[in-house]
Amino acid sequence: MLSCPTAAIVSEEKGDISEAMADFPLLLEDGVHYCGYTSPKSFGGSSYFIVRPNGNWLVDAPRFVPSLVRRFEEMGGIDTIFITHRDDVADSKLYAERFGAKRIIHEIERMAQPDAEHVIEGFEDVRWDNEMKIVVVPGHTRGSMVLLYREQFLFTGDHLAWDRHRGALEAFEDYCWYSWEEQGISMKRLAAETFEWVLPGHGERVKLPLADMKKAMKQLVNEMRGR
């Protein structure tokens, strides 16, 4: 109920609402949380919160909800907001203003946050610090980016997700707004990276052992090449 962007899920039982509200952001692993409270402004896209000693990060943004704002405050605030692409901005600006956070977006997507503090230019990888690597992945949009954290967590926006029905990684050809061919090239480059978690904006998240993730990425690259 709390995560649905359109409030389409309802229940006559309201007794556990406050307890559920306290669960968000929901811990996944090693300081990485799922925010819930998805927004219609980002078509229901998921967002994530990373707790770090040198400044917490928000990946894309949820709805601006007072209870969630309070939880972010209790957990140390927000230092940086990473925006994967223009579709999943949601309430990034409100969170940036509330916490004095710096926003990162690609120059091609900047129309979605024209006053963003940091703009990524070009298509080369950016090593932000010793834990954060930004990989530019043209395809879904021309300026789409993913964030690799500790070579463990990959925040993928709308570039990559998990399909539980097939038990495989997937990309969304029907929702590729820029170039499916370019997305395939980007996916091949991404397959060279090391990660265990895929944390998407749309689609399901998954954690796999490193060897299985490598195998799943190789399978997806081959599938995209053959379409």
Side-chain angles (χ1 to χ4, degrees):
M1 289 173 60
L2 294 175
S3 293
C4 180
T6 61
I9 301 172
V10 297
S11 173
E12 294 180 359
E13 300 295 329
K14 307 294 185 182
D16 295 333
I17 286 292
S18 60
E19 183 178 346
M21 290 172 68
D23 279 343
F24 289 115
L26 183 68
L27 179 64
L28 300 178
E29 186 176 272
D30 292 348
V32 174
H33 302 73
Y34 166 64
C35 293
Y37 293 105
T38 59
S39 170
K41 298 175 185 177
S42 59
F43 310 97
S46 296
S47 58
Y48 304 91
F49 182 63
I50 309 169
V51 176
R52 307 177 73 207
N54 55 346
N56 300 334
W57 283 47
L58 188 64
V59 180
D60 291 326
R63 277 176 281 147
F64 192 83
V65 178
S67 62
L68 190 59
V69 170
R70 286 193 296 272
R71 289 290 293 132
F72 287 152
E73 290 173 344
E74 293 166 1
M75 298 170 77
I78 301 169
D79 179 78
T80 303
I81 302 173
F82 178 81
I83 300 170
T84 58
H85 66 297
R86 63 178 180 261
D87 296 343
D88 289 358
V89 166
D91 286 334
S92 295
K93 183 177 177 63
L94 294 178
Y95 281 104
E97 291 173 347
R98 174 62 183 80
F99 290 97
K102 306 176 292 290
R103 288 160 291 173
I104 303 172
I105 196 169
H106 197 278
E107 61 175 343
I108 297 170
E109 312 291 298
R110 193 176 185 178
M111 75 288 288
Q113 291 282 275
D115 54 349
E117 291 76 14
H118 294 288
V119 178
I120 302 298
E121 299 180 350
F123 298 95
E124 298 298 319
D125 299 346
V126 176
R127 173 60 71 176
W128 192 263
D129 58 29
N130 64 336
E131 293 185 326
M132 296 291 194
K133 182 179 182 179
I134 297 170
V135 183
V136 186
V137 286
H140 173 71
T141 63
R142 189 164 179 252
S144 287
M145 303 188 296
V146 300
L147 180 68
L148 180 59
Y149 175 49
R150 293 182 176 173
E151 295 190 330
Q152 183 180 359
F153 302 92
L154 186 70
F155 301 90
T156 60
D158 291 351
H159 180 72
L160 173 67
W162 179 252
D163 183 343
R164 74 172 183 272
H165 301 291
R166 294 195 306 122
L169 293 171
E170 65 175 342
F172 305 108
E173 186 173 8
D174 290 345
Y175 300 97
C176 180
W177 310 134
Y178 171 58
S179 168
W180 183 247
E181 180 180 0
E182 287 293 325
Q183 190 162 348
I185 295 170
S186 297
M187 198 70 73
K188 184 177 180 180
R189 287 177 41 239
L190 193 59
E193 303 290 349
T194 298
F195 50 91
E196 297 175 330
W197 279 90
V198 167
L199 299 168
H202 290 93
E204 295 198 38
R205 59 183 179 262
V206 69
K207 180 185 180 184
L208 298 175
L210 289 176
D212 291 347
M213 186 65 80
K214 286 283 187 183
K215 183 178 178 181
M217 283 295 294
K218 182 178 180 180
Q219 177 182 328
L220 177 58
V221 168
N222 290 337
E223 289 176 357
M224 295 179 73
R225 184 184 296 125
R227 291 187 197 176

